Amino acid sequence: MTKRNLIADVLRLKSERKALILAHNYQLPEIHAVADVIGDSLELALAARKATEPVLVVCGVRFMAETAGILNPGKTILLPVPDAGCPLADFLTPDLITRAKEEYPDAAVVVYINSTASCKAVADAVCTSGNALKVVRSLPQKQIIFGPDANLASYIRSFLPEKEIIPLPANGHCYVHAGFSEDDLSEMKKQGVSIIAHPECPEKIRNIADQIASTGKMAEIARKGKRWYICTEIGMLDRLGELCPDQIFFGDEFAVCADMKKTTLQELLSCLKDGSGEITLDPEIMKAARRSVDYMLDVPP
Ligand code: 13P
Ligand code: SF4
């Protein structure tokens, strides 16, 4: 089947099923072409919360679909490729959190949205890359157990020295964001290209960057008319190309998230046809996770 036919079928079934398609910025351009909402983790969560359609199809990875279910429990949540996961999220377990709480009884627990619903259920607050500083700053506790991304933990520590940030585990990281080369960035800078890095990048990369931003914020910054090297997953280059067709973006062709690339038009079509990939969560876990996600969404600007 041609791409054009697949797109037509997806759009027809989407309307028949009254489904809303939410796609992360890293998804393939053809998935963006059929999506109703495209954004970063926070933008997708907010759109899921206010959705009125009975079916929400999340083109992204599992934690994004779980978050949609947590925020809008009455809906059918479909993840077209059920094993599209996030290796960063896999670094953290509820058991690790429980043990850390025993070691640091006065600490608050903040988990990155890239975590399982079970981890969110035992946390005090969730955050995304876009609101991590705001969420951690808002908590009264000085000690913050933060997981699973140790790079994001060090990013928070650099802006909030008044807090004691305890990374959990100490080596949690995203393999995509860990791979950028300082030499490439220095070379780009010599050529007058500005750098935007995702907060998941290691400190040495963040230190060279001109800006540090979530993928949603990258889309805003990029409009400001420069040539940019983007330190995040390569799909962001396609997204920025869609938003700012007259600008030039560079990136690392090896920065590919294999899980984000699992969702194809064919997978999406099958999921809309047969309702496969439904995400169901234990109601108790959903209720407990909702508390920590709501904390994030309720923190004033
Ligand atoms: P954003 O929320 O910035 O889109 O990040 C999600 C993610 O998985 C980054 O790798
Ligand atoms: Fe997870 Fe990294 Fe992929 Fe984002 S890019 S979904 S953090 S593995």
Side-chain angles (χ1 to χ4, degrees):
M1 212 191 260
T2 64
K3 211 178 255 188
R4 196 196 293 185
N5 288 344
L6 281 168
I7 287 179
D9 281 4
V10 166
L11 293 176
R12 180 179 48 78
L13 272 178
K14 175 174 83 154
S15 143
E16 277 174 28
R17 298 251 183 278
K18 297 188 174 47
L20 183 78
I21 299 183
L22 304 155
H24 188 262
N25 285 321
Y26 297 160
Q27 291 286 294
L28 297 167
E30 56 266 36
I31 298 294
H32 288 170
V34 295
D36 299 291
V37 180
I38 306 169
D40 66 10
S41 311
L42 180 61
E43 290 161 336
L44 297 184
L46 291 170
R49 183 172 65 163
K50 69 169 197 227
T52 52
E53 293 77 359
V55 179
L56 308 186
V57 185
V58 179
C59 297
V61 293
R62 176 166 284 262
F63 76 82
M64 295 174 178
E66 286 186 352
T67 305
I70 290 164
L71 285 168
N72 208 334
K75 307 295 179 190
T76 299
I77 310 291
L78 303 178
L79 180 66
V81 181
D83 76 346
C86 169
L88 166 61
D90 296 341
F91 272 96
L92 192 61
T93 62
D95 194 41
L96 274 178
I97 297 176
T98 306
R99 279 189 271 142
K101 276 182 173 173
E102 279 162 17
E103 199 177 337
Y104 300 98
D106 297 330
V109 177
V110 180
V111 296
Y112 190 26
I113 196 164
N114 298 42
S115 58
T116 62
S118 312
C119 287
K120 291 181 176 78
V122 291
D124 297 297
V126 169
C127 75
T128 70
S129 57
N131 60 21
L133 298 177
K134 186 175 82 168
V135 169
V136 172
R137 193 186 287 117
S138 75
L139 288 158
Q141 292 87 342
K142 179 177 161 53
Q143 286 185 321
I144 308 287
I145 297 166
F146 186 90
D149 189 1
N151 288 320
L152 185 54
S154 89
Y155 165 77
I156 297 167
R157 186 182 301 118
S158 67
F159 281 89
L160 302 178
E162 69 278 19
K163 299 283 187 188
E164 186 190 336
I165 309 291
I166 302 148
L168 185 72
N171 63 343
H173 67 278
C174 161
Y175 71 97
V176 178
H177 290 86
F180 288 95
S181 137
E182 289 162 271
D183 290 347
D184 286 356
L185 298 196
S186 303
E187 189 48 42
M188 280 286 150
K189 283 201 119 173
K190 275 190 213 146
Q191 294 177 29
V193 176
S194 303
I195 316 282
I196 316 182
H198 195 274
E200 287 176 23
C201 290
E203 191 172 12
K204 60 182 187 198
I205 297 297
R206 296 197 313 267
N207 285 345
I208 305 174
D210 299 284
Q211 303 262 0
I212 302 171
S214 67
T215 64
K217 191 84 182 155
M218 283 179 184
E220 267 176 50
I221 295 171
R223 288 176 208 272
K224 294 186 184 145
K226 286 189 186 170
R227 291 188 303 152
W228 296 102
Y229 186 97
I230 307 295
C231 296
T232 195
E233 210 271 342
I234 194 76
M236 195 63 204
L237 261 55
D238 291 323
R239 180 64 186 141
L240 291 172
E242 290 161 13
L243 294 168
C244 314
D246 299 330
Q247 287 173 237
I248 301 174
F249 300 105
F250 304 93
D252 183 335
E253 60 179 303
F254 295 108
V256 178
C257 174
D259 286 270
M260 280 284 182
K261 297 295 178 265
K262 285 178 177 170
T263 310
T264 61
L265 281 174
Q266 192 64 63
E267 305 280 0
L268 177 54
L269 183 62
S270 310
C271 147
L272 282 165
K273 260 187 195 151
D274 57 22
S276 57
E278 182 167 355
I279 298 288
T280 47
L281 293 170
D282 178 318
E284 287 304 312
I285 289 182
M286 276 174 83
K287 211 166 113 199
R290 173 84 196 225
R291 233 188 345 91
S292 58
V293 180
D294 275 347
Y295 181 91
M296 161 180 89
L297 297 178
D298 292 342
V299 175

